[in-house]
Amino acid sequence: MDNLKIGSRQFRSRLIVGSGKYKSLEETASATKASGAEIITVAIRRMNIGQSNIEPNILNYIDPNRYTLLPNTAGCYDAASAVRTCLLAQELLGGHNFVKLEVIGDQKTLFPDVRETIIAAEELLKRDFEVLAYTTDDPIIAKNLEEIGCVAVMPLASPIGSGLGIQNEFTIKTIIENAQVPIIVDAGLGTASDASEAMEFGCDAVLVNSAIAKAKKPILMAEAMAAATRAGRLAYLAGRMEKKYNAEPSSPIEGTID
């Protein structure tokens, strides 16, 4: 079976979904189900998983026995706050140590601060967290995150929420070629063909939130993302034909009757 292995865990689906930006938690639940995803990210600083008795709890809509929760540190701008956020998630989720680390550099671009990301990752790894690290599409930084012990590296395709798709094919492919841990394209995918392209490059998985939540029909887009992710993976495993500059007939001419 072509399972996705991340740290100590295995999954059948290679599509990871986010939980933000939907019109309601009911829509979040419906889209997540339609996507076939087994992992859903939850922004601890923005989403209630039990820290508030007043706000709706997403765990009443997303069953943690059915889905693997991936708490993330969205909204953190330094290593210390990111580590605190992961510790809070661990406490609320009964020792859960599977987290997505993101430390943002500025509010305009939402690009990662790679220095603070590495500092936070090193501290979390000392505390036995399994860290999936969001980063730029820099092959050197991606390799550094792998070498310090992150169980997956998550380079951006383009800025968060932009829907621009993969803007630098070369760097993404270079990261994949150099990696010994799963590479999960995160941020910037806008439609199903973007997910398929990332998977055809050889990415191990894709993480999609805005492209589903902001679609005119989120449930339908969730289904499209599921199909595209699987199609891209199959195409990668199959191996595409060689590109040629000249035409070649589909049927050979040798042995034909004149």
Side-chain angles (χ1 to χ4, degrees):
M1 295 181 65
D2 183 38
N3 286 344
L4 169 64
K5 296 181 65 175
I6 306 176
S8 62
R9 295 167 169 80
Q10 290 195 46
F11 307 94
R12 295 181 301 276
S13 174
R14 291 176 180 269
L15 173 61
I16 302 171
V17 295
S19 56
K21 303 182 180 179
Y22 287 95
K23 298 180 183 69
S24 66
L25 289 175
E26 289 84 358
E27 187 176 72
T28 302
S30 296
T32 303
K33 181 179 180 180
S35 74
E38 296 169 277
I39 306 173
I40 179 170
T41 66
V42 180
I44 301 303
R45 294 169 66 91
R46 299 168 181 164
M47 191 75 70
N48 180 31
I49 61 169
Q51 61 268 49
S52 171
N53 294 323
I54 302 173
E55 300 176 4
N57 188 332
I58 190 173
L59 300 186
N60 293 329
Y61 298 84
I62 300 295
D63 184 357
N65 294 315
R66 176 176 179 179
Y67 300 100
T68 295
L69 298 180
L70 183 61
N72 72 61
T73 59
C76 293
Y77 286 83
D78 59 74
S81 62
V83 171
R84 285 197 303 271
T85 300
C86 289
L87 291 173
L88 173 62
Q90 186 177 54
E91 180 180 348
L92 291 170
L93 297 173
H96 191 77
N97 71 336
F98 192 62
V99 296
K100 176 192 170 186
L101 173 64
E102 55 181 278
V103 184
I104 301 303
D106 67 74
Q107 293 184 357
K108 182 178 180 180
T109 66
L110 298 181
F111 267 41
D113 183 326
V114 294
R115 180 177 61 180
E116 291 293 301
T117 298
I118 290 174
I119 292 171
E122 290 175 333
E123 179 61 28
L124 290 168
L125 291 164
K126 290 177 185 176
R127 296 172 181 266
D128 295 324
F129 279 87
E130 291 189 296
V131 178
L132 293 76
Y134 169 64
T135 184
T136 59
D137 59 346
D138 182 331
I140 305 303
I141 297 299
K143 195 63 181 177
N144 288 343
L145 289 166
E146 175 186 330
E147 289 172 344
I148 66 174
C150 294
V151 297
V153 177
M154 308 178 76
L156 55 79
S158 51
I160 292 174
S162 67
L164 292 172
I166 295 175
Q167 290 296 293
N168 199 328
E169 175 182 332
F170 169 75
T171 54
I172 294 295
K173 287 184 175 179
T174 301
I175 290 171
I176 294 167
E177 290 170 0
N178 293 337
Q180 299 299 315
V181 297
I183 300 300
I184 303 169
V185 163
D186 178 16
L189 302 184
T191 190
S193 58
D194 294 336
S196 182
E197 181 181 43
M199 297 304 296
E200 287 184 34
F201 287 167
C203 291
D204 295 278
V206 293
L207 194 157
V208 182
N209 188 176
S210 297
I212 298 176
K214 291 187 174 182
K216 293 180 180 179
K217 297 182 179 180
I219 312 306
L220 195 57
M221 182 60 81
E223 294 179 11
M225 285 292 182
T229 301
R230 177 162 171 74
R233 178 64 178 177
L234 291 175
Y236 169 73
L237 294 175
R240 69 158 291 144
M241 64 173 288
E242 179 185 355
K243 292 182 180 181
K244 297 182 179 181
Y245 291 101
N246 298 315
E248 181 178 305
S250 299
S251 301
I253 59 173
E254 291 82 2
T256 58
I257 300 174
D258 294 332

